[in-house]
Amino acid sequence: MRITIAGTGYVGLVTGVALAEIGHEVICYDIDDEKVNRLKEGISPIYEPGIDQLLVKNQLNNRLSFSSDCSEAYSTPDIIMIAVGTPEKEDGSANLSYVYQVAKDISKYLNTQQAIVVTKSTVPVGTNRKVKQWIEEEIDFHSKIHIVSNPEFLREGSALYDTFHGDRIVIGSEDEEAATKMEELYSPLNIPIIHTDIESAEMIKYASNAFLATKISFINEIANICEKVGANIEDVSKGIGMDQRIGSKFLQAGIGYGGSCFPKDTKALVQLAGDVKHRFHLLEAVINVNNNQPLLLLKKARNYVGSFKDVKVAVLGLAFKPNTDDIRESAALVVLKHLLNEGAQVNVYDPIAIANARKVLGNTVTYYETIEAAIKDTEIVFIVTEWKQVKEFPLRNYLDLMKTPIVIDGRNCYEVKEAAALNMTYSSIGRESVTAAKIEIK
């Protein structure tokens, strides 16, 4: 099939590359000429394991192309997929301006008797029907528009894997012809497909992300209680995760969720509920727990140093999770904001996300390309992102390199027993803290 994908962010680019890989002819459209030119050269604008190779391969095989020309993108496709951003507005609701612009461009440039317009962007319930209305209001060429809601369930850092090995594909449409065409589109993936009405498909996306966010905030609250009663959160997580009704995924205690999806989508669902006069008390609590979780690291550190003024600190990890360069809603930014406001001297390390972090942090921190350089002569280290490089970094090295080895581990990367054996100060989430026999407390 001939597919046009509007937007070359995580969802659009990964979807385009994957559909080309399974044999479709794909044009990825973006308004950013510079980004399009780099993509034509085989340079991905996002960090995603495996995407560079497939990007080059499918361009060479003439199944994947990139364009900033609306006429080329929208004139004769079989299917148009909308995969543009829906950032949150000040009130927490989704900003649909980019979706609206795509709809208007489709109405202007579409030149076929019929087309399937698919929304992959995360949008509030009711948006797909608006998309159809926006297109049909101004369409110049007589064309039958079929609307499909086809939400994505991709995890940054493993988005390609999720595309080829997903748990399910959701197709929301009241048009049997369009639904059948979408099923044919995805048939090479051999992934279970669920057919729903449009509104249910839209809600499935929000409900899925809200439930996963709830699991994260729940286990973090349990972790906070574990610290006070002497329980170990890792044992607790394992014990409850073995219950098949609960499952073990998203039960790793830490300092909360971040990124471009969970924070935005939970707020949008609360706002959506408010629009229909329903207060989503549970999700409001989930958001509140998550907002406060990164602050626990600062509280733990203050037990040892009191004030951060003129304290030399290292923050390991800037991305909101491993295997991505995305720093949106990262807990690291929350921690850094407080450290800088309180006068700390801050070193930072991240194997991938430093370039993006510079755009936000500028020269307020000192950037390092190795963990050793970042922690040398520091008084406190905060572990914020559980990168493989951090997890495999020997705990003893903190003793050897730091001025006063105080490690505040927000991702439980190390074993408490090892820290105790090394006689170092180590505090993590939901587990017993270890305090060195001798520690200079300011």
Side-chain angles (χ1 to χ4, degrees):
M1 298 183 194
R2 293 167 301 171
I3 314 299
T4 289
I5 297 180
T8 58
Y10 269 98
V11 176
L13 186 57
V14 170
T15 301
V17 168
L19 290 176
E21 177 68 12
I22 62 175
H24 299 292
E25 181 183 329
V26 180
I27 297 177
C28 289
Y29 168 82
D30 201 286
I31 61 173
D32 188 331
D33 290 323
E34 182 179 350
K35 182 191 284 190
V36 168
N37 289 333
R38 287 172 64 84
L39 284 163
K40 288 179 178 179
E41 295 171 2
I43 302 172
S44 172
I46 62 172
Y47 176 82
E48 184 65 36
I51 200 165
D52 295 299
Q53 297 90 325
L54 292 184
L55 182 62
V56 172
K57 172 187 173 183
N58 284 285
Q59 285 192 88
L60 290 174
N61 290 336
N62 296 316
R63 290 197 298 263
L64 178 64
S65 61
F66 298 92
S67 177
S68 56
D69 183 340
C70 282
S71 179
E72 179 184 9
Y74 296 130
S75 59
T76 59
D78 299 311
I79 297 174
I80 300 172
M81 291 187 168
I82 301 174
V84 294
T86 55
E88 66 177 279
K89 296 192 287 189
E90 287 186 7
D91 64 359
S93 62
N95 182 343
L96 299 177
S97 60
Y98 301 112
V99 176
Y100 175 82
Q101 186 58 55
V102 173
K104 291 304 179 184
D105 288 340
I106 292 171
S107 68
K108 183 176 181 180
Y109 292 99
L110 185 64
N111 192 31
T112 59
Q113 292 293 331
Q114 62 177 347
I116 299 173
V117 177
V118 179
T119 304
K120 293 199 76 68
S121 301
T122 302
V123 295
V125 176
T127 301
N128 277 273
R129 295 192 187 278
K130 290 181 181 178
V131 169
K132 182 178 176 65
Q133 177 185 336
W134 291 334
I135 294 173
E136 292 180 340
E137 279 176 349
E138 298 182 21
I139 194 164
D140 295 328
F141 183 82
H142 180 68
S143 179
K144 184 177 182 181
I145 303 299
H146 308 277
I147 295 294
V148 176
S149 175
N150 176 218
E152 51 81 22
F153 303 97
L154 307 179
R155 298 168 296 170
E156 291 185 29
S158 58
L160 275 174
Y161 179 89
D162 292 343
T163 302
F164 292 117
H165 304 90
D167 296 319
R168 78 294 200 194
I169 293 170
V170 175
I171 297 173
S173 179
E174 294 168 2
D175 187 299
E176 187 174 341
E177 180 182 350
T180 300
K181 196 80 170 178
M182 290 297 295
E183 190 165 348
E184 292 173 3
L185 174 77
Y186 288 120
S187 60
L189 296 175
N190 293 315
I191 295 173
I193 293 176
I194 174 173
H195 293 275
T196 72
D197 58 78
I198 293 173
E199 285 77 13
S200 295
E202 292 169 326
M203 181 58 82
I204 285 170
K205 170 62 177 180
Y206 276 117
S208 296
N209 279 358
F211 185 78
L212 295 175
T214 300
K215 286 189 75 172
I216 294 171
S217 286
F218 173 81
I219 202 63
N220 284 336
E221 281 285 73
I222 294 296
N224 297 337
I225 298 172
C226 282
E227 289 186 29
K228 296 179 179 180
V229 300
N232 184 304
I233 188 56
E234 292 180 336
D235 292 336
V236 174
S237 295
K238 182 178 180 180
I240 65 176
M242 292 176 72
D243 188 325
Q244 294 184 14
R245 297 168 300 173
I246 298 172
S248 60
K249 294 181 179 180
F250 289 83
L251 287 181
Q252 289 70 48
I255 49 175
Y257 56 78
S260 61
C261 293
F262 285 5
K264 173 177 69 72
D265 293 350
T266 49
K267 293 174 189 174
L269 186 50
V270 168
Q271 181 65 33
L272 175 64
D275 290 342
V276 293
K277 295 182 173 53
H278 178 83
R279 185 166 181 183
F280 206 147
H281 294 281
L282 175 60
L283 200 53
E284 288 177 1
V286 167
I287 294 168
N288 185 55
V289 168
N290 195 68
N291 289 342
N292 289 323
Q293 196 68 12
L295 304 180
L296 291 179
L297 296 193
L298 301 167
K299 181 179 179 181
K300 288 173 180 290
R302 288 192 185 96
N303 291 333
Y304 303 110
V305 301
S307 168
F308 293 117
K309 183 173 176 57
D310 297 326
V311 174
K312 194 169 183 181
V313 175
V315 173
L316 304 183
L318 297 169
F320 84 95
K321 62 180 287 189
N323 298 320
T324 180
D325 61 353
D326 194 346
I327 64 169
R328 287 174 289 182
E329 301 287 342
S330 171
L333 298 183
V334 177
V335 172
L336 285 167
K337 176 183 177 182
H338 286 271
L339 290 173
L340 293 170
N341 286 344
E342 295 180 36
Q345 301 174 31
V346 183
N347 299 342
V348 298
Y349 162 81
D350 191 286
I352 299 296
I354 283 180
N356 284 339
R358 284 185 187 273
K359 300 173 186 176
V360 176
L361 299 171
N363 60 0
T364 60
V365 300
T366 305
Y367 304 91
Y368 289 94
E369 295 183 358
T370 67
I371 299 174
E372 289 89 346
I375 70 174
K376 186 174 176 57
D377 296 327
T378 58
E379 296 163 273
I380 305 175
V381 167
F382 292 94
I383 298 175
V384 183
T385 312
E386 65 276 29
W387 282 100
K388 178 182 179 182
Q389 292 88 333
V390 176
K391 294 170 72 173
E392 294 181 353
F393 187 76
L395 192 57
R396 171 169 285 280
N397 288 3
Y398 294 95
L399 278 174
D400 297 336
L401 293 169
M402 294 178 68
K403 180 180 178 181
T404 56
I406 303 172
V407 176
I408 312 297
D409 186 354
R411 299 296 183 183
N412 293 357
C413 292
Y414 296 102
E415 294 295 331
V416 174
K417 289 182 179 179
E418 184 182 2
L422 291 171
N423 191 30
M424 67 181 296
T425 300
Y426 176 81
S427 182
S428 54
I429 305 295
R431 305 186 299 179
E432 178 186 4
S433 294
V434 176
T435 303
K438 292 183 180 180
I439 178 172
E440 180 183 348
I441 301 177
K442 294 180 180 288

